[in-house]
Amino acid sequence: MPSSVKALGQARPSGAGMAPQACCCSPAAVQRRLPILAWLPDYSMQWLKMDFIAGLSVGLTVIPQALAYAEVAGLPPQYGLYSAFMGCFVYFFLGTSKDVTLGPTAILSLLVSFYTFHEPAYAVLLAFLSGCIQLAMGFLRLGFLLDFISCPVIKGFTSAAAVTIGFGQIKNLLGLQNIPRQFFLQVYHTFRNIGETRVGDAVLGLVCVVLLLVLKLMRDHVPPVHPEMPPGVRLSHGLVWTATTARNALVVSFAALVAYSFEVTGYQPFVLTGEIAEGLPPVRTPPFSVTTANGTVSFTEMVQDMGAGLAVVPLMGLLESIAVAKSFGLTNMLGSLVSSYPVTGSFGRTAVNAQSGVCTPAGGLVTGVLVLLSLDYLTSLFYYIPKSALAAVIIMAVAPLFDTKIIGTLWRVKRLDLLPLCVTFLLCFWEVQYGILAGTLVSVLILLHSVARPKMQMSEGPVLVLQPASGLHFPAVEALREAILSRALEASPPRCAVLECTHICSIDYTVVLGLGELLEDFHKQGVTLAFVGLQVPVLRVLLSADLKGVQYFSTLEEAEKHLKQEPGSQPYNISEDSVPEHKVALLKA
């Protein structure tokens, strides 16, 4: 598992899942609610040095990405920067993993573009409402809802998103104008207008892609710096590491310098980012209504317009990190006060953070301050960044999201899992919510089928032995009944049967009724249905149901001996007086 994924997956609050403390104001309880108190007292100068380097590295990565992701979200470039700093400050206080970085991401930016109609007011309100929903999920411990979204569904969604985002940047890479944002129309118009490609944008965009790829490969193959290395070697390694880690900023700066050089000569062959609002965003409440040329859109109408986005965006934001739902929710709520659109944890920047040797969440402070400084002092320089360079940054960022190996892996592991993968992947090109919903529904149906038709091991002989290979729940009652009736009572002559219950840890009322009917059928035919390996929860239910004529044995050998009328084995009848002493103790526990 990649380090970035591990970092997000392991970012769970200390004490999560543990028994509650006796006092909510104890030091341990306060530390759980304010994680900064766990590491701040031990903070050292060495940690400060490492956190500063890591924060600087992430800052140089996030600034060009934020500008680029705003384009994916269909918003003015400054909104990417507005979204890039609040998470750094919130996670400084509430962060439970030193590696995680919060900010705009490619996938969430794509979802924002789907549900906010490229209107900043809608995007900011969506951030606020997403934060409220994520906070509620964290406090109510509703993370189990995300457990129903299987890995094939996630892979199908992320792969479709990578294709959608990547192809959506071809127009900027080639300098094409007036291309629709809807995917299928985008594909059609891109190929239709391919003859209008601007040579300058295409050449610069491809050069930026190649540079980013080369620097990434160098970064992956640079050996770590060791203290015993000669000073000259350590210096060269440090320079290479800096250049490859900050490759986004380096390549974008190079492209902007090229564009500025042409601007000075009076000829501009590139499509530029253009004017960006200068200065820090104003602090104000999210827009609960918006005024348009057709009148005022009320809060209720805005919520109705965003529709499924109010479920999809917060859920996708928490998909890999439900354990830190409160931090993410608070980030989105507070971020909406400074015009941020929805954010989440970034795998790519989390990996940069980890590889830079970050020691505490304090590294985020450096990143946040760097973003604020860029908003205050560098926006005039961002004017000269070619859109083709930002397109190259986006394409290289989303390329790893397309998992080329997943189909082969699922083919070897479980071919049926290819079905939700393909359903999700294909439908996400139509509507994201339909793709995720359909893929999840297919996954749940596959799961329910295994519950309704559990595999059963059977041993034929004078006595039929049937062992369900998994739990026994109400959808499986008919399958169990048919299996026993067809092989035991419909045989000639009818024979006794043993239900081996070692793998059954719980049963429900419908299962109890089904077992009662089976016992009656066996009694009418003059044969016996016995039970082996009953666990305490199952025994407790059977005692409560007061079924008549239930016999169970400690071992399968005892059951077979008794049913074959061999001496030396006696069944236990299901009544509290006849339950073995060790089971009585467990039943009364």
Side-chain angles (χ1 to χ4, degrees), residues 250-448:
L250 195 65
V251 170
V252 167
S253 299
F254 159 75
L257 186 61
V258 172
Y260 180 75
S261 301
F262 277 98
E263 186 81 8
V264 171
T265 65
Y267 171 69
Q268 187 54 262
F270 312 119
V271 178
L272 303 182
T273 298
E275 295 286 346
I276 296 179
E278 192 172 346
L280 303 179
V283 179
R284 57 192 175 194
T285 57
F288 294 106
S289 64
V290 61
T291 302
T292 66
N294 299 322
T296 300
V297 182
S298 67
F299 172 73
T300 304
E301 291 172 324
M302 292 178 74
V303 169
Q304 290 174 346
D305 290 341
M306 288 186 283
L310 291 173
V312 174
V313 172
L315 288 178
M316 291 301 104
L318 294 179
L319 202 54
E320 295 293 341
S321 47
I322 184 62
V324 287
K326 297 173 188 176
S327 300
F328 284 24
L330 193 60
T331 294
N332 280 317
M333 286 184 65
L334 295 178
S336 68
L337 301 178
V338 289
S339 302
S340 165
Y341 67 81
V343 301
T344 185
S346 165
F347 284 162
R349 294 193 297 274
T350 294
V352 170
N353 213 18
Q355 293 162 3
S356 301
V358 69
C359 296
T360 71
L365 283 182
V366 180
T367 302
V369 169
L370 202 60
V371 174
L372 291 175
L373 290 174
S374 70
L375 273 168
D376 222 12
Y377 299 106
L378 300 180
T379 48
S380 59
L381 300 179
F382 294 156
Y383 175 94
Y384 297 101
I385 298 177
K387 286 192 174 183
S388 58
L390 294 179
V393 170
I394 295 172
I395 290 171
M396 292 303 298
V398 301
L401 295 177
F402 188 84
D403 193 341
T404 57
K405 299 178 181 178
I406 186 65
I407 293 180
T409 302
L410 292 181
W411 183 265
R412 294 190 303 271
V413 175
K414 187 178 180 181
R415 296 177 184 178
L416 194 58
D417 280 342
L418 287 170
L419 186 58
L421 173 78
C422 295
V423 167
T424 306
F425 179 77
L426 294 175
L427 287 184
C428 275
F429 291 115
W430 176 33
E431 288 284 352
V432 171
Q433 66 266 27
Y434 296 149
I436 296 171
L437 186 61
T440 302
L441 181 61
V442 171
S443 293
V444 170
L445 289 176
I446 293 173
L447 175 65
L448 291 177

Side-chain angles (χ1 to χ4, degrees), residues 146-155 417 420-421 439-440 443-444:
L146 297 179
D147 295 339
F148 290 97
I149 304 179
S150 65
C151 185
V153 173
I154 297 171
K155 290 291 186 181
D417 280 342
L421 173 78
T440 302
S443 293
V444 170

Side-chain angles (χ1 to χ4, degrees), residues 191-214:
F191 284 107
R192 182 183 178 184
N193 299 333
I194 199 74
E196 300 175 11
T197 298
R198 295 168 60 101
V199 176
D201 285 299
V203 171
L204 182 63
L206 292 175
V207 168
C208 289
V209 169
V210 171
L211 285 175
L212 288 169
L213 181 59
V214 170

Side-chain angles (χ1 to χ4, degrees), residues 19-49:
Q21 298 294 321
C23 177
C24 63
C25 296
S26 66
V30 174
Q31 281 188 9
R32 283 201 305 275
R33 288 166 175 78
L34 201 60
I36 185 177
L37 299 178
W39 54 265
L40 190 59
D42 300 322
Y43 204 74
S44 65
M45 289 302 297
Q46 178 62 23
W47 286 6
L48 177 61
K49 173 187 172 184

